[in-house]
Amino acid sequence: MISFPPGLILIVAAVLLPLMRSKKAFNTWALLASVSTFVVVLLTYIGGDGIGDYTQSCEYALLPGLGDFHITLELMQLNAPTKIFATVFSLMAIVGVVYSFNQDRRIELPAALLYAGSAICVTYAGDLLTMFLFWELMAVGSAIVVWSGGQKDSARAGQRYVAVHLLGGAILMAGIVAYYVANGDLALPNSPLTVIADGSYHASAMVEYLTSNNIAAWLIMIGVLVNAGAPFLGAWLPDAYPEASVSGTVFLSAFTTKTAVFVLMMLFAGADVLVWVGLAMAIYGLIYALIENDMRRILAYAIINQLGFMVCAVGIGTPLTLCGASAHAFASVVYKALLLMAAGSVLYQTGKRKCTDLGGLYKTMPITMICTLIGGMTISAMPLTSSFTTKSLITSGAALEYELGHNPLYMYAWFVLMAASAGGALYAGIKFPWLVFFNKDSGLRPSDPPKNMTWSMIFLAALCVIFGFPGISELTLYTILPFAPMVPGHGAGAEPHLYSTWSASHVISQFALLAATGFVFFSFVKTLSRTVTITIDSDWIYRRLIPSYVWGGLLLPAVRWLGKGHEFLLGKVPGMIARGVQSDVIEERVNKSIELGGTTIRFSFHFRDNRRRDWAVGGVLLVITVMLFMYLLLNFNAI
Amino acid sequence: MIDSIPALMVVLPLMAGVITVFTGKGDKPWAWATAITGIVFAMSIALLAEVTAHGPVTYNFGNWPSQYGIAYTIDAMNGFVLFVVSLIAAVTTYYSRLSVKDEIPNDRLHIFYALWLLTICGLLGITITGDTFNVYVLLEISSLTLYALIAMGYRRDRRALTASLRYVILGSVGASFLLLGIGYLMMITGTLNMVDMHDRLQVLIHNDEYSRTIMVAYAFLLVGLSLKLALFPLHMWLPNAYTYAPSAVTGLVAATATKVAVYMTIRFLFGIFGRDFSFGAVESSDVLLTCAGLGVLYTGIQAARQNNVKSVLAWSSLGQIGYIVIGFSLNNENGLTGSVVHILNHALIKGGMFLALGCVAYRLGGTRLTHLKGLGRKMPWTMAAFTAGGLGLIGFPLTGGFIGKWYIGLGALDAGNWLILVVIMLGSLLAVIYVFRVVYAIYFGEAEPDSVHATEAPASMVVCTWILIGMSLVCGLWSEWSVDLAANAAKAMLAGFGGAH
């Protein structure tokens, strides 16, 4: 049996990777590491009895000397959703490595492997601390990936990225500490839901903490939502991802957000608040993707839009929707990477990022164009693509939950998700390919990208189609889902059966939806394609508001003003008092003014020597006296 | 020999300091000082081992009974501080050769090292002595020499003179407050010996006699000590003094002077007045916590505004002092342990960082932010040390700075004071800002024309820098021994006078 989390292979390999001098050895080593990780991931669950088969704990006195703070790190636990997440993560590591074969940045790939390895380790975590450690390691790896992007704004974007993730990590850590204080135990149960024999289930302890408004649960949730790209917390995503390199973005799109979904699923399955968050994300991602012009930013917002589905599904929290969330995570990692690879190929070949600068590339980049179309169809949940199954698991789960409990929340969820799904078709399925590959002729004549990039795209495109084929998902994906996706049978006494997407009504309604979307797009194609836009997102808060307005406009003046007040109180007042007492030393009368906010306050006082400020100790002496009196007065009646 | 180590700890540097004047020119004064501080460091280790193994050690000068003569008493608390001070003294002295030659007129090196040894002698003496008046005397020795050492930075920047003058005036005020406080206590207890003073004060407090006098003595002492340890808002002497002092002096002072003042405060509050009086009968906990808490935030913001990196670190020292004060003001074991262990860790971190800046000053002639731009490639070892130290200032886990904050945080939890946790968090966030502002310039800034040809500092300087920074990292990773020592010290102080009865 495998007794270590497979991600460690990648982490160790990443550390050794910079030692490989020649390009060939470098690539071979990276490929070897990622392939063996994939194999080991498969070995961890193939042949076992299933979930919770074995755990590998590692007794470790964390930071010896911190008192009785000895912690057992459960490095290796096969959690219910681990199988599918770890599989897709390790698969993406392989494809990402192949795609970046022709990159010549020596730091990016090691960082990306570290990042991928830690993401895999997060899925095998058996307690919150292990999860947190690898979570932070992911942040380190991904930040380096952003930093080595080589785009003109990479350094600054990386800086903001680090700041946001440090903050998110700190909040998460605070939550974990609070949880430890409240709970006394950091262990993670190996399944998001405790399923009881008759098919009913109850939610995790963390959700109970959430409903009782324990601060621990809220802090942890906020910390995780930062990584999930929730509205207001997640503006780092479209800020940083497009600034990474062509290959870096592919890695970035796969791990951080999907790990966040994994953690949300493990901790907060069935928390209603996540339904709202998820819906907000779906809508917010959609709107921004529609008005954005930079092709990779469009796709970055598309990630948020698609994440909305998963977060919402986690919030609904039935076995069926959790299956939907994991399966959709799998599908969306694949097609999002595919689309970003396609966009990356276009950028790599043309050096242009804005849709308005591109167009008419279909003739010279046919393979990229076809792959983009497949990716676009998949994101639109076109029948015969993988996400037709996976998205339907989510929407059907919402509908089913509404039928069972008549909670209107799930009805809203269903409506919004259907609308957002159609919207997804609008921006990524049609807008992106249309503006880049068709539309007007930009005059650019780039060829398809180098072989390794082309083949990675073809491979992912093939995955999108294969898993969409009727019957294939049931044989493959279904077996590694956290639960068996069962739906109750219709009519009295009917047995529950395995969920299937392929009903005539469903297929027809999906086509109708997509057709309507297509109609909308081509009616408004002029409006949509003319957008040379720079969208403002909540990252404005820390790009502009905090540095310029809060720091530069508010805090700094406040500090300066305080400094003036301080100077006045400590530098001038004592002198004034002194001179007031011994009035014979007055030599001059000077008017001084102080700016307070906008109003000028004028002081007129007697004044002897202007240069005393450098030497002034009078102020401090006054403070000393005040302190002494304070002690005496405070305690005058104490004894 | 082992019996007279307590006396030698002070007498040796005192005599050696005077002799230094006659050691001649060149490297001789430095070699002499290095030898002396090395011996003192070895003795402090022996003393600490002895105290840890067999409990407090008392040494009576001239075999006079402690009521009449001067007694030196070393327990877990001051044994630890002695170790910190002599460690920093030994490392900075060895480091100082090139840096001092560069910054001090070369015909005055013997004077410099004489003052240097006397400062160290004073600091060690304050820590080791068990006699309150002796504290005052040695405080004057260390302060007066220190004023002169700081003023010697005038060759690089003439503002060293005003900074030193300001320090002279405020330091003297602080010292005279201390003297007044000690005088009042002597008046009512009739003794200067700390143990006796503690015992008699407890009786007086218990019988409710002289309570006003005790309280006034307490107020004078606490304000004087707050001034000496640069507690906000009595901190104004510190930033300029640290900024304009010669590099090696800053390294020594920043790591030891305020730490010794903290030790004195802990000794007076817990060891002489007793915690029941200091934090029960009079309201100092809230005052100290408020001052320190506001100080952490205020100094953090100030540190983020400075353009001279030495100033950044000086302001940051004030913030770190704030944490230490918070720790012992919480009046519980975890908080006090945090304070004591932070004395060590902050001394290592800040000492190391100032030494790193000394390397920069040696190569580039200044420590402004613009000097450090792009130095990550030119002086990789020095800058790596600076960065590692910076992480410690933030309190990054796995660095020494984390351990103290962790225990102070635990202490705040024990005291049920959530606000303190918020202050620690905000303080760390400010530290992230001011550290990364510098680190960013180091690794991402474009080198200025003047620093294009800068190279790595001489090996002796880099090695000393890394000894301190490396130790701070080791103390972060394997903190058991330092925390055990600190916890022993904390227990001793909470129990009253170190169990020296």
Side-chain angles (χ1 to χ4, degrees), chain A residues 137-152:
Chain A
L137 209 53
M138 265 170 68
V140 172
S142 55
I144 301 174
V145 171
V146 176
W147 245 318
S148 48
Q151 309 279 323
K152 72 177 194 303

PDB file of all heavy atoms in Angstrom, chain A residues 137-152:
ATOM      1  N   LEU A 137       1.773  26.059   1.119  1.00  0.00           N
ATOM      2  CA  LEU A 137       2.815  25.697   0.169  1.00  0.00           C
ATOM      3  C   LEU A 137       2.336  25.956  -1.261  1.00  0.00           C
ATOM      4  O   LEU A 137       3.080  26.424  -2.124  1.00  0.00           O
ATOM      5  CB  LEU A 137       3.173  24.222   0.356  1.00  0.00           C
ATOM      6  CG  LEU A 137       4.585  23.796   0.007  1.00  0.00           C
ATOM      7  CD1 LEU A 137       5.594  24.662   0.732  1.00  0.00           C
ATOM      8  CD2 LEU A 137       4.796  22.335   0.394  1.00  0.00           C
ATOM      9  N   MET A 138       1.054  25.674  -1.473  1.00  0.00           N
ATOM     10  CA  MET A 138       0.449  25.984  -2.770  1.00  0.00           C
ATOM     11  C   MET A 138       0.545  27.461  -3.074  1.00  0.00           C
ATOM     12  O   MET A 138       0.861  27.866  -4.194  1.00  0.00           O
ATOM     13  CB  MET A 138      -1.050  25.649  -2.733  1.00  0.00           C
ATOM     14  CG  MET A 138      -1.426  24.311  -3.242  1.00  0.00           C
ATOM     15  SD  MET A 138      -3.159  24.039  -2.838  1.00  0.00           S
ATOM     16  CE  MET A 138      -3.957  25.229  -3.867  1.00  0.00           C
ATOM     17  N   ALA A 139       0.231  28.272  -2.053  1.00  0.00           N
ATOM     18  CA  ALA A 139       0.281  29.725  -2.259  1.00  0.00           C
ATOM     19  C   ALA A 139       1.687  30.151  -2.655  1.00  0.00           C
ATOM     20  O   ALA A 139       1.867  30.970  -3.552  1.00  0.00           O
ATOM     21  CB  ALA A 139      -0.167  30.452  -0.997  1.00  0.00           C
ATOM     22  N   VAL A 140       2.697  29.548  -2.008  1.00  0.00           N
ATOM     23  CA  VAL A 140       4.079  29.903  -2.330  1.00  0.00           C
ATOM     24  C   VAL A 140       4.383  29.538  -3.786  1.00  0.00           C
ATOM     25  O   VAL A 140       4.856  30.364  -4.575  1.00  0.00           O
ATOM     26  CB  VAL A 140       5.053  29.170  -1.376  1.00  0.00           C
ATOM     27  CG1 VAL A 140       6.479  29.381  -1.821  1.00  0.00           C
ATOM     28  CG2 VAL A 140       4.855  29.645   0.039  1.00  0.00           C
ATOM     29  N   GLY A 141       4.061  28.275  -4.125  1.00  0.00           N
ATOM     30  CA  GLY A 141       4.354  27.821  -5.487  1.00  0.00           C
ATOM     31  C   GLY A 141       3.647  28.668  -6.524  1.00  0.00           C
ATOM     32  O   GLY A 141       4.256  29.122  -7.505  1.00  0.00           O
ATOM     33  N   SER A 142       2.356  28.917  -6.287  1.00  0.00           N
ATOM     34  CA  SER A 142       1.600  29.637  -7.307  1.00  0.00           C
ATOM     35  C   SER A 142       2.078  31.084  -7.415  1.00  0.00           C
ATOM     36  O   SER A 142       2.124  31.646  -8.512  1.00  0.00           O
ATOM     37  CB  SER A 142       0.108  29.587  -6.988  1.00  0.00           C
ATOM     38  OG  SER A 142      -0.128  30.078  -5.699  1.00  0.00           O
ATOM     39  N   ALA A 143       2.459  31.672  -6.287  1.00  0.00           N
ATOM     40  CA  ALA A 143       2.948  33.056  -6.351  1.00  0.00           C
ATOM     41  C   ALA A 143       4.204  33.131  -7.213  1.00  0.00           C
ATOM     42  O   ALA A 143       4.372  34.058  -8.016  1.00  0.00           O
ATOM     43  CB  ALA A 143       3.233  33.578  -4.951  1.00  0.00           C
ATOM     44  N   ILE A 144       5.074  32.127  -7.074  1.00  0.00           N
ATOM     45  CA  ILE A 144       6.292  32.145  -7.896  1.00  0.00           C
ATOM     46  C   ILE A 144       5.921  31.977  -9.369  1.00  0.00           C
ATOM     47  O   ILE A 144       6.519  32.603 -10.249  1.00  0.00           O
ATOM     48  CB  ILE A 144       7.271  31.055  -7.435  1.00  0.00           C
ATOM     49  CG1 ILE A 144       7.639  31.278  -5.979  1.00  0.00           C
ATOM     50  CG2 ILE A 144       8.523  31.058  -8.289  1.00  0.00           C
ATOM     51  CD1 ILE A 144       8.488  30.190  -5.385  1.00  0.00           C
ATOM     52  N   VAL A 145       4.903  31.146  -9.623  1.00  0.00           N
ATOM     53  CA  VAL A 145       4.463  30.982 -11.007  1.00  0.00           C
ATOM     54  C   VAL A 145       4.006  32.322 -11.581  1.00  0.00           C
ATOM     55  O   VAL A 145       4.368  32.699 -12.692  1.00  0.00           O
ATOM     56  CB  VAL A 145       3.329  29.933 -11.107  1.00  0.00           C
ATOM     57  CG1 VAL A 145       2.732  29.917 -12.493  1.00  0.00           C
ATOM     58  CG2 VAL A 145       3.861  28.551 -10.754  1.00  0.00           C
ATOM     59  N   VAL A 146       3.212  33.049 -10.797  1.00  0.00           N
ATOM     60  CA  VAL A 146       2.758  34.359 -11.278  1.00  0.00           C
ATOM     61  C   VAL A 146       3.949  35.284 -11.499  1.00  0.00           C
ATOM     62  O   VAL A 146       4.072  35.962 -12.516  1.00  0.00           O
ATOM     63  CB  VAL A 146       1.780  35.015 -10.272  1.00  0.00           C
ATOM     64  CG1 VAL A 146       1.385  36.405 -10.739  1.00  0.00           C
ATOM     65  CG2 VAL A 146       0.552  34.157 -10.098  1.00  0.00           C
ATOM     66  N   TRP A 147       4.855  35.248 -10.526  1.00  0.00           N
ATOM     67  CA  TRP A 147       6.001  36.152 -10.571  1.00  0.00           C
ATOM     68  C   TRP A 147       6.869  35.920 -11.804  1.00  0.00           C
ATOM     69  O   TRP A 147       7.400  36.851 -12.388  1.00  0.00           O
ATOM     70  CB  TRP A 147       6.845  35.986  -9.310  1.00  0.00           C
ATOM     71  CG  TRP A 147       6.844  37.204  -8.471  1.00  0.00           C
ATOM     72  CD1 TRP A 147       6.952  38.490  -8.918  1.00  0.00           C
ATOM     73  CD2 TRP A 147       6.692  37.290  -7.057  1.00  0.00           C
ATOM     74  NE1 TRP A 147       6.894  39.358  -7.865  1.00  0.00           N
ATOM     75  CE2 TRP A 147       6.741  38.653  -6.711  1.00  0.00           C
ATOM     76  CE3 TRP A 147       6.539  36.351  -6.047  1.00  0.00           C
ATOM     77  CZ2 TRP A 147       6.629  39.099  -5.396  1.00  0.00           C
ATOM     78  CZ3 TRP A 147       6.440  36.798  -4.749  1.00  0.00           C
ATOM     79  CH2 TRP A 147       6.472  38.156  -4.420  1.00  0.00           C
ATOM     80  N   SER A 148       7.006  34.638 -12.161  1.00  0.00           N
ATOM     81  CA  SER A 148       7.899  34.377 -13.286  1.00  0.00           C
ATOM     82  C   SER A 148       7.165  34.497 -14.610  1.00  0.00           C
ATOM     83  O   SER A 148       7.608  33.955 -15.613  1.00  0.00           O
ATOM     84  CB  SER A 148       8.537  33.002 -13.130  1.00  0.00           C
ATOM     85  OG  SER A 148       7.565  32.043 -12.816  1.00  0.00           O
ATOM     86  N   GLY A 149       6.039  35.194 -14.595  1.00  0.00           N
ATOM     87  CA  GLY A 149       5.225  35.282 -15.803  1.00  0.00           C
ATOM     88  C   GLY A 149       5.880  36.026 -16.951  1.00  0.00           C
ATOM     89  O   GLY A 149       5.646  35.720 -18.112  1.00  0.00           O
ATOM     90  N   GLY A 150       6.689  37.012 -16.627  1.00  0.00           N
ATOM     91  CA  GLY A 150       7.354  37.750 -17.700  1.00  0.00           C
ATOM     92  C   GLY A 150       6.453  38.704 -18.456  1.00  0.00           C
ATOM     93  O   GLY A 150       6.863  39.292 -19.445  1.00  0.00           O
ATOM     94  N   GLN A 151       5.203  38.873 -18.025  1.00  0.00           N
ATOM     95  CA  GLN A 151       4.349  39.889 -18.633  1.00  0.00           C
ATOM     96  C   GLN A 151       4.718  41.235 -18.016  1.00  0.00           C
ATOM     97  O   GLN A 151       5.413  41.288 -17.012  1.00  0.00           O
ATOM     98  CB  GLN A 151       2.875  39.589 -18.374  1.00  0.00           C
ATOM     99  CG  GLN A 151       2.463  38.184 -18.726  1.00  0.00           C
ATOM    100  CD  GLN A 151       2.196  38.023 -20.195  1.00  0.00           C
ATOM    101  OE1 GLN A 151       1.676  38.902 -20.846  1.00  0.00           O
ATOM    102  NE2 GLN A 151       2.576  36.871 -20.741  1.00  0.00           N
ATOM    103  N   LYS A 152       4.166  42.295 -18.574  1.00  0.00           N
ATOM    104  CA  LYS A 152       4.677  43.583 -18.123  1.00  0.00           C
ATOM    105  C   LYS A 152       4.202  43.929 -16.711  1.00  0.00           C
ATOM    106  O   LYS A 152       4.813  44.714 -16.028  1.00  0.00           O
ATOM    107  CB  LYS A 152       4.322  44.692 -19.111  1.00  0.00           C
ATOM    108  CG  LYS A 152       2.881  45.120 -19.145  1.00  0.00           C
ATOM    109  CD  LYS A 152       2.730  46.285 -20.126  1.00  0.00           C
ATOM    110  CE  LYS A 152       1.417  47.017 -20.021  1.00  0.00           C
ATOM    111  NZ  LYS A 152       0.220  46.224 -20.195  1.00  0.00           N
TER     112      LYS A 152
END
